[in-house]
């Protein structure tokens, strides 16, 4: 063995490195060729044991050093190239435009209900709540609609098979008026509240009627409340809700829980009251029922007769949304049709 052989191996190895041109596969081949067990260098190392002690002393460290250097060099290069390759594989083009995330939004009905709540709370009203599964007492009897009363026919009812714990029949509330006496039993006047929520009627559906719909009840009770208060609050609310000046009109009507009772109209939003197809040329749009609270209802709530006056109304939230956003069919709201939902 001589230094020359080692030197030669080293040179060949260096040349191999250069020729590989930074190709990972070629480097790996080179590693096998020069550093595997069968490589010339390893054969030389194996042969060290047959040398004389002097020769061993001379060549041993040198051969080992050469091997370590070569190994260090090629392993370093392979590692570097491998990392580069991995990086290329994981490379992300941050300049590609991202996929647009689909973000949901509030349903038009929820939005309308929140608008209503916002306007009323800004007018000093509180928001109250009541159950959708109700007993016959709060939905009807407490509102002066006893069982035999023909007015019950106004509210076609979904009855439930179960009864409540007092044996009273259960139903899906036909209006948010069910919450009037519930609230008054727990609260003393003066107060002004709205009660938004779902109501249900056993009815055939058409463009203006749904079996499940939303209403909001307004109830204002105090010592000295009159129809005049009612008119001004209603005007303020509708003007804020629709924007611009809205006129209101009351027509005599009948509800067992009001005395007197009215139908409530607002001036047509589309033609401003001049008459158009939306309002059937009347200039007015029907909004819902309202009236001064019947003293019999106060009595059911435990208030003394004639101690308080109050007014109440119950309007459909779908109807308000239909007018404001020009929706022509109430059934769109729950159709789940994305073409409708996405418009708002
Ligand atoms: N609850 C009535 C209905 O749904 C509306 C109403 C509420 C009328 C309050 C008068 C007073 O038909």
């Amino acid at each position: 063995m001589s230094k020359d052989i080692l030197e030669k191996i080293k040179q060949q190895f260096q040349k191999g490195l250069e020729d590989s041109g930074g190709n990972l596969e070629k480097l790996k081949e080179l590693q096998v060729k020069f550093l595997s067990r069968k490589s010339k260098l390893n054969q030389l190392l194996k042969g060290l044991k047959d040398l004389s002690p002097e020769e061993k002393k001379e060549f041993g460290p040198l051969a080992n050093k050469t091997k370590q250097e070569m190994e260090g060099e090629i392993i370093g290069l392979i590692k570097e190239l491998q990392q580069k390759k991995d990086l290329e594989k994981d490379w992300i083009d941050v300049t590609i435009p991202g996929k647009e995330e689909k973000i949901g939004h509030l349903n038009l009905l929820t939005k309308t209900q929140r608008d209503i709540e916002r306007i009323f709370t800004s007018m000093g009203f509180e928001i109250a709540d009541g159950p959708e599964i109700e007993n016959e007492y709060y939905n009807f009897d407490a509102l002066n609609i006893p069982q035999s009363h023909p007015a019950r026919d106004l509210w076609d009812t979904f009855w439930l098979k179960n009864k409540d714990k007092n044996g009273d029949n259960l139903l899906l509330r036909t209006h948010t008026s069910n919450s009037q006496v519930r609230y008054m039993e727990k609260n003393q006047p003066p107060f002004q509240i709205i009660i938004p929520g779902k109501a249900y009627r056993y009815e055939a559906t058409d463009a203006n009627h749904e079996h499940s719909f939303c209403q909001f009840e307004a109830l204002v009770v105090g010592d000295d409340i009159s129809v005049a208060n009612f008119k001004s609050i209603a005007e303020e609310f509708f003007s804020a809700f629709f924007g611009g000046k809205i006129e209101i009109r009351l027509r005599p009507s009948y509800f067992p829980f009001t005395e007197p009772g009215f139908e409530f109209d607002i001036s047509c939003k589309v033609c401003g009251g001049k008459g158009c197809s939306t309002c059937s040329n009347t200039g007015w749009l029907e909004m819902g029922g309202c009236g001064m609270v019947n003293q019999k209802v106060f009595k059911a709530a435990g208030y003394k007769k004639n101690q308080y006056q109050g007014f109440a109304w119950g309007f459909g939230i779908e109807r308000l949304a239909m007018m404001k956003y020009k929706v022509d069919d109430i059934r769109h709201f729950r159709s789940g049709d994305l073409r409708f939902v996405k418009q708002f």
Side-chain angles (χ1 to χ4, degrees), residues 129 138 180-189 191 301 303:
D129 203 7
Y138 285 113
Q180 286 193 14
V181 170
R182 280 187 177 275
Y183 183 86
M184 289 194 279
E185 280 176 342
K186 295 204 183 86
N187 296 276
Q188 287 300 312
F191 58 76
Y303 297 170

Side-chain angles (χ1 to χ4, degrees), residues 77-89:
L77 272 174
I78 288 177
K79 210 168 144 190
E80 206 175 288
L81 281 173
Q82 189 67 51
Q83 275 174 353
K84 213 169 135 198
K85 211 171 156 189
D86 290 347
L87 268 180
E88 271 166 18
K89 207 170 66 200

Side-chain angles (χ1 to χ4, degrees), residues 10 39 113 132 153 163 249 265 283 288 296 317:
K10 228 173 143 180
S39 66
Q113 181 172 328
E132 286 175 33
D153 296 344
K163 291 184 189 294
R249 177 174 87 166
D265 301 334
K296 287 186 181 159
I317 297 180

Side-chain angles (χ1 to χ4, degrees), residues 14-154:
Q14 286 300 339
K15 184 154 185 308
L17 283 185
E18 278 160 33
D19 291 348
S20 76
N23 179 304
L24 191 58
E25 297 315 313
K26 281 196 180 148
L27 283 179
K28 282 181 180 167
E29 279 168 24
L30 213 61
Q31 192 181 24
V32 175
K33 187 170 166 202
F34 283 91
L35 292 159
S36 68
R37 263 197 295 141
K38 284 187 183 148
S39 66
K40 217 174 187 177
L41 185 59
N42 265 317
Q43 297 300 328
L44 283 176
L45 283 167
K46 259 191 219 158
L48 280 177
K49 64 178 185 328
D50 303 326
L51 298 181
S52 67
E54 292 78 43
E55 280 177 318
K56 260 192 214 165
K57 225 176 171 183
E58 192 182 349
F59 290 112
L62 198 63
N64 273 316
K65 194 170 156 247
T66 306
K67 187 184 172 190
Q68 274 168 13
E69 279 173 2
M70 284 164 59
E71 245 167 15
E73 197 166 0
I74 199 155
I75 287 172
L77 272 174
I78 288 177
K79 210 168 144 190
E80 206 175 288
L81 281 173
Q82 189 67 51
Q83 275 174 353
K84 213 169 135 198
K85 211 171 156 189
D86 290 347
L87 268 180
E88 271 166 18
K89 207 170 66 200
D90 296 340
W91 183 75
I92 296 168
D93 184 353
V94 289
T95 64
I96 290 177
K99 276 192 201 143
E100 200 187 332
E101 281 292 330
K102 292 217 164 52
I103 301 172
H105 63 83
L106 293 180
N107 181 278
L108 183 56
L109 274 179
T110 313
K111 187 170 136 53
T112 307
Q113 181 172 328
R114 293 202 182 166
D115 279 349
I116 293 167
E117 290 175 358
R118 185 178 41 77
I119 296 169
F120 274 103
T121 40
S122 79
M123 287 160 72
F125 278 63
E126 283 189 32
I127 297 166
D129 203 7
E132 286 175 33
I133 292 180
E134 184 55 287
N135 58 33
E136 197 172 351
Y137 175 73
Y138 285 113
N139 195 83
F140 288 127
D141 300 77
L143 295 172
N144 189 32
I145 323 171
Q147 204 176 1
S148 56
H149 202 293
R152 274 214 185 181
D153 296 344
L154 292 174

